[in-house]
Amino acid sequence: MTTVIKNGTIVTHDLTYAADVLIDGETIIEIGENLEGDEVLDATGCYVMPGGIDPHTHLEMPFMGTYSSDDFDSGTRAALAGGTTMVVDFALPQPGQGLLDALKTWDNKSARAHCDYSFHMAVTWWSEQVFDEMKTVIEQYGINSFKHFMAYKGALMVQDDEMYASFQRLAELGAIALVHAENGDVVADLSARLLREGNDGPEGHAYSRPPQVEGEATNRAIMIADMAGVPLYVVHVSCEQSHEAIRRARQAGMRVWGEPLIQHLTLDESEYFNEDWDHSARRVMSPPFRDEKHQDSLWAGLQSGSLSCVATDHCAFTTEQKRTGIGDFTKIPNGTGGLEDRMPMLWTYGVGTGRLTPNEFVAVTSTNSAKILNCYPKKGAILVGSDADIVVLDPEKEKTISAKTQESSIDYNVFEGKHVKGLPRYVLSRGRVMVDDGVLKPSEGHGRFVKRRPQGEVNRALTSWKDMTKPRPVERSGIPASGV
Ligand SMILES: NC(=O)NCCC(=O)O
Ligand SMILES: [Zn+2]
Ligand SMILES: [Zn+2]
């Protein structure tokens, strides 16, 4: 069966033009004028854009003694409702658990997905088994990105020597390294001190993670990645100190990308000083929200290209789960939601204010992620041959965000009360209409795993450069070469 999207304006990361889009089954087969199809979707007054890709989610994640509440069912319903057609989650081995073993668990969880998905693999400990299994994960499973936590001491955190070993292995295998960049030792020490001094409320969480802990760790990860010769992707960049390190590295020719979250762009630290404990605890995440100066830096990074992708880090906990931390902020499960709101919030506060162009919006919500993660142009594109993952965005459609009407299973929304303008009229996932005239029509199990091959362009370029510039012995006449 064919479907045609008619009368809209196509907006990609680099072009804006009027044309119809013809889809056969799961794939875009033609783009042009006056196209006909079995089913017609009218996009008059709308922008026809690549479906959003959220490169950072945690659905049903085991974390801090509980599980994040949105699973691949409610999480991907929320994604589609907001115009996101692919999520990239994290397979997370417990320290001591094999990578392949952890992948089995994530495979089971994701069977319920309504939209396509992929996984990053987390490296939470280091051993010969991890070293060996990395190759299988990359070559057989099609996962080319590996996350390292520099925080969460005593749980997920890895040490510098483990990170360096892992980064070298990734360079050799043509994958990319991801980091959660916060100095976990300093955070642990500051947290203990704050608790001793009676700072046990949610604001203590923000005090325990000042921008310096993020700036230091980002810089350290960048230097270690450069020495290992691996491209680096820094997740949830929240502050100028971290952004500055990324900007500086990029200007020096290093292959580094930065990912701000929609939460850090639009919510600030005053949330932690609310007199209502629940209000503040619901917003506890790492890194914490910052002030306006840092927000301006993140927006400027998206405008100038020093920051590349806007994500959510969707890791949603109910109020009841958050209350585990009453009397000790270090026990409040870290994480916030945002999957349904990322695209409308970024359109409203980015495009709606003139901070971003529509093309830049597409780049940072979809295309850049697809390129970095090596699934472009199957994903992140409106091109003949691409998957028909499409959002038809009506710039006049508006709503006020409310937990009462959201797909997420939790009992609140950190964006509650925000008025957004620019919402999906249609959302297609591999050709299937999942949002029809603004109404979600979910389909459990429709989502498929997206394999991503190693040795993307940036890996190949970096490997050539590192090879060309690697240390070589100086040949000296009369002195025999040693050992070789
Ligand atoms: N970000 C956060 O607070 N929770 C999710 C896990 C992580 O990404 O650190
Ligand atoms: Zn993180
Ligand atoms: Zn995360």
Side-chain angles (χ1 to χ4, degrees), residues 207-395:
Y207 297 144
S208 73
R209 307 177 107 98
Q212 292 92 321
V213 301
E214 196 182 335
E216 184 281 325
T218 304
N219 196 57
R220 181 158 37 102
I222 288 171
M223 295 305 157
I224 293 175
D226 188 40
M227 288 183 280
V230 71
L232 180 73
Y233 181 101
V234 184
V235 304
H236 48 46
V237 175
S238 77
C239 63
E240 162 60 12
Q241 282 84 339
S242 173
H243 177 201
E244 187 272 336
I246 294 166
R247 210 165 53 222
R248 182 159 34 90
R250 287 172 67 91
Q251 280 176 340
M254 296 176 200
R255 300 297 185 167
V256 182
W257 300 284
E259 168 210 84
L261 306 182
I262 190 62
Q263 295 92 319
H264 290 117
L265 287 161
T266 59
L267 301 173
D268 68 41
E269 63 183 0
S270 64
E271 307 280 1
Y272 300 118
F273 305 114
N274 196 295
E275 285 189 359
D276 177 3
W277 190 96
D278 285 343
H279 179 99
S280 297
R282 287 163 173 165
R283 285 146 181 91
V284 162
M285 68 168 301
S286 297
F289 303 157
R290 309 288 189 192
D291 68 21
E292 202 181 325
K293 170 172 63 78
H294 295 291
Q295 294 180 315
D296 286 345
S297 166
L298 302 182
W299 283 108
L302 293 174
Q303 290 163 338
S304 64
S306 51
L307 298 175
S308 305
C309 309
V310 176
T312 61
D313 191 8
H314 187 101
C315 187
F317 297 101
T318 62
T319 304
E320 203 186 321
Q321 289 175 301
K322 292 279 186 179
R323 285 184 180 164
T324 319
I326 291 178
D328 180 351
F329 70 82
T330 64
K331 297 197 165 57
I332 302 172
N334 285 202
T336 58
L339 255 172
E340 187 164 347
D341 312 307
R342 179 183 68 125
M343 304 272 278
M345 282 292 291
L346 195 73
W347 185 270
T348 305
Y349 288 88
V351 181
T353 59
R355 278 177 140 143
L356 296 178
T357 68
N359 305 97
E360 287 164 347
F361 173 87
V362 171
V364 301
T365 55
S366 181
T367 309
N368 289 353
S369 290
K371 288 184 177 179
I372 293 166
L373 299 177
N374 207 20
C375 56
Y376 181 85
K378 175 181 170 64
K379 301 294 187 189
I382 304 277
L383 288 172
V384 170
S386 296
D387 281 359
D389 282 4
I390 297 173
V391 57
V392 177
L393 184 135
D394 181 347

Side-chain angles (χ1 to χ4, degrees), residues 56 58 61 63 147 149 152 180 236 285-286 313 315 334-335:
H56 185 166
H58 301 279
M61 178 202 195
F63 191 41
K147 163 99 168 271
F149 291 91
Y152 305 130
H180 168 136
H236 48 46
M285 68 168 301
S286 297
D313 191 8
C315 187
N334 285 202

Side-chain angles (χ1 to χ4, degrees), residues 15 58 101 126 186 289 325 330 335 343 401 429 454-455 463 466:
L15 292 173
H58 301 279
D101 200 29
W126 189 246
V186 174
F289 303 157
T330 64
M343 304 272 278
I401 294 175
S429 166
Q455 305 293 4
T463 304
K466 288 293 176 187

